[in-house]
């Protein structure tokens, strides 16, 4: 024990910033309550994480484990953002090589609990052998996990889904009407997550084994937002399930308002009217195809709205498919648009008064940040759980999806322009603008967020 009822909790997230950042937010709340957190990742990722506030520096310890070298994984690639989509499987293979170093750390750590992500499906079994309790902590929403199903289905022991089409309908373990399911084009893009890949283990198997081997499940959500999906998880997992809140982003401000990049962006945003600018960003993993990038660009041009587009034109230095914009696009839109190809301070941009809408991939951290800043959502999904997130947002009138071809997912510049204008300007888009403000308290209320984490910690203390 860490002493006087204080816990020592080890956190081990998957090597994607969409996973590491919500883990870090939870670590900060746990540490603020006086518990010790060991946050385990690789050296380069730890270096790239946001700075901790000084009052937490002694309570959150970063533990660096060197990522093993594996064939086909480029030098210095330590996160999904560093490699093209088809190379992520080798990153998972390298990550599985951390089993022994993690075991050795746990043996010497005097830890009370381990919180682990979906990828290290072996971590629960390792913890159990060492007499350490474990939490399968998922940054996927309860609706996404609930749709994916019980452990036997996830591990392939009960093959109810064998082809992509099987993922486009509500499964029989969901006892209420719901549109939460993949579109055919969404599941086709990521079918390797189900079928398996070069890492030797499919993503859904990892989730299944992770749930099977843990003591309890924690999930990024709040019961007021999706109580019926949390109940589905209790039913299919037959284990305690704890929502830990939506974990809104908290950025430690160390005076970086003065940095030149943000000053330039702020000056540009300041020149535009309140609510006029559409912000476009698909986070660190979702890279559009060349054809999709063209249609997005031409759609922004046709919308006649000012835009700030954070464009991920390649995934790491080994990505040979560098996206190109339509000929003459930047010249034609120079007066009202910015295309930014490196990291941008998303929370600050969303917080600016001139931003009136957010064209997003539906990754949940981006969704939470948009709600924090009351920006209505235009949805364009690419990978992973994004399609399932988009269905929830559609159902709750919190986001509008750009119309696409059901088979191949293609869309037109006209549908991009029309969707953005609908959500930001038109009367029929008012519902999206208002709904985002309505749900804000559910997502960012500090007392509620604290209560969820208190409930989890109370259980962990008495177990």
């Amino acid at each position: 024990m860490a002493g006087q009822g204080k816990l020592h909790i080890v956190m081990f997230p998957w090597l994607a910033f969409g996973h590491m950042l919500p883990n870090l937010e939870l670590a900060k709340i746990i540490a603020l309550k006086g518990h010790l957190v060991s946050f385990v990742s690789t050296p380069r990722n730890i270096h790239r994480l946001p700075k901790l506030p000084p009052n937490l520096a002694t309570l959150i310890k970063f533990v660096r484990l060197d990522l093993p070298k594996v064939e086909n994984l480029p030098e210095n690639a330590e996160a999904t953002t560093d490699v093209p989509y088809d190379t992520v499987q080798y990153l998972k293979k390298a990550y599985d090589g951390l089993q022994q170093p993690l075991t050795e750390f746990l043996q010497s750590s005097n830890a009370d609990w381990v919180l682990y992500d979906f990828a290290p499906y072996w971590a629960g079994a390792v913890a159990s052998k060492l007499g350490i309790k474990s939490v399968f902590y998922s940054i996927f929403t309860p609706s996404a996990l609930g749709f994916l199903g019980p452990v036997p289905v996830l591990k392939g022991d009960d093959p109810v889904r064998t082809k992509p089409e099987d993922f486009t309908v509500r499964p029989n373990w969901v006892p209420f009407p719901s549109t939460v399911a993949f579109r055919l084009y969404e599941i086709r893009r990521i079918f390797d997550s189900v079928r398996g890949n070069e890492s030797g283990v499919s993503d859904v198997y990892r989730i299944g084994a992770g749930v099977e081997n843990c003591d309890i499940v924690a999930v990024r959500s709040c019961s007021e937002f999706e109580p019926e999906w949390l109940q589905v998880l209790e039913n299919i997992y037959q284990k305690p399930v704890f929502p830990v809140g939506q974990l809104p982003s908290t950025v430690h401000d160390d005076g970086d308002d003065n940095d030149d990049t943000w000053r330039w962006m702020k000056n540009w945003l300041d020149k535009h009217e309140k609510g006029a600018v559409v912000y476009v960003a698909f986070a660190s993993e979702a890279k559009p195809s060349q054809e999709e990038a063209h249609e997005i660009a031409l759609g922004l041009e046709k919308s006649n709205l000012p835009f700030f587009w954070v464009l991920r034109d390649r995934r790491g230095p080994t990505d040979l498919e560098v996206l190109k914009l339509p000929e003459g696009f930047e010249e034609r839109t120079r007066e009202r648009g910015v295309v930014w190809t490196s990291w941008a301070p998303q929370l600050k941009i969303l917080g600016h008064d001139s931003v009136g809408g957010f064209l997003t991939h539906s990754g949940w951290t981006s969704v939470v940040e948009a709600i924090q800043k009351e920006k209505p959502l235009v949805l364009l999904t690419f990978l992973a759980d994004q399609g399932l997130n988009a269905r929830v947002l559609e159902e709750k009138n919190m986001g509008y999806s750009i119309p696409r071809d059901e088979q191949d997912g293609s869309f037109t510049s006209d549908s991009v322009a029309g969707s953005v204008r609908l959500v930001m300007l038109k009367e029929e888009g008012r519902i999206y603008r208002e709904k985002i403000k309505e749900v804000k308290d559910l997502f960012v209320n500090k007392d509620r967020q604290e209560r969820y984490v208190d409930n989890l910690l109370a259980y962990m203390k008495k177990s």
Side-chain angles (χ1 to χ4, degrees), residues 27-40:
K28 287 195 268 192
I29 299 169
I30 290 170
L32 277 169
K33 296 176 183 301
H35 302 286
L36 177 64
V37 178
S38 292
F39 193 99
V40 182

Side-chain angles (χ1 to χ4, degrees), residues 210-407:
V211 170
E212 183 177 48
N213 293 326
C214 71
D215 291 290
I216 61 172
V217 174
V219 62
R220 184 185 192 179
S221 187
C222 52
S223 47
E224 298 93 333
F225 183 65
E226 41 189 351
E228 72 284 14
W229 283 106
L230 285 161
Q231 188 58 57
V232 167
L233 294 188
E234 292 259 1
N235 296 345
I236 62 177
Y237 292 165
Q238 294 292 296
K239 287 187 179 187
V241 175
F242 288 85
V244 295
Q246 298 289 0
L247 302 167
S249 298
T250 56
V251 180
H252 170 55
D253 190 353
D254 55 359
D256 66 351
D257 265 5
N258 297 321
D259 86 47
D260 291 341
T261 302
W262 169 241
R263 196 185 298 127
W264 181 87
M265 290 177 179
K266 185 177 181 304
N267 287 343
W268 187 87
L269 292 165
D270 285 345
K271 290 174 188 154
H272 297 280
E273 288 176 32
K274 183 175 179 177
V277 176
V278 55
Y279 172 58
V280 185
F282 308 122
S284 60
E285 285 194 58
K287 178 190 161 195
S289 68
Q290 181 59 67
E291 190 181 335
E292 288 167 342
H294 261 240
E295 294 304 318
I296 293 164
L298 296 174
L300 292 172
E301 186 175 352
K302 287 177 181 178
S303 76
N304 289 318
L305 291 167
F307 61 87
F308 194 104
W309 184 6
V310 180
L311 172 63
R312 186 142 169 66
D313 59 355
R314 68 193 303 194
R315 282 182 55 155
T318 60
D319 186 355
L320 302 177
E321 292 177 25
V322 183
L323 295 179
K324 292 181 173 54
L325 294 166
E327 189 129 2
F329 167 76
E330 288 182 272
E331 289 72 27
R332 294 193 303 273
T333 59
R334 192 176 299 285
E335 293 305 308
R336 64 178 173 90
V338 169
V339 179
W340 189 264
T341 54
S342 54
W343 182 84
Q346 177 159 293
L347 204 57
K348 286 182 176 180
I349 295 170
L350 284 170
H352 196 282
D353 276 352
S354 70
V355 174
F358 182 14
L359 172 49
T360 173
H361 60 307
S362 311
W364 206 250
T365 293
S366 287
V367 169
V368 173
E369 290 185 344
I371 293 166
Q372 276 179 268
K373 302 301 182 183
E374 300 184 2
K375 305 302 182 190
L377 300 166
V378 184
L379 311 174
L380 188 63
T381 63
F382 295 97
L383 297 170
D385 57 338
Q386 293 160 17
L388 301 176
N389 294 345
R391 298 304 94 71
V392 172
L393 296 168
E394 292 159 7
E395 273 190 359
K396 293 179 182 286
N397 291 318
M398 290 166 61
Y400 177 81
S401 286
I402 290 175
R404 299 168 80 162
D405 181 281
E406 279 293 320
Q407 297 295 313

Side-chain angles (χ1 to χ4, degrees), residues 94-116:
Y95 187 73
D96 287 338
L98 291 176
Q99 183 170 343
Q100 191 53 39
L102 181 73
T103 304
E104 288 165 12
F105 167 70
L106 290 175
Q107 282 170 327
S108 63
S109 70
N110 206 21
D112 300 302
W113 284 82
V114 180
L115 270 72
Y116 62 90

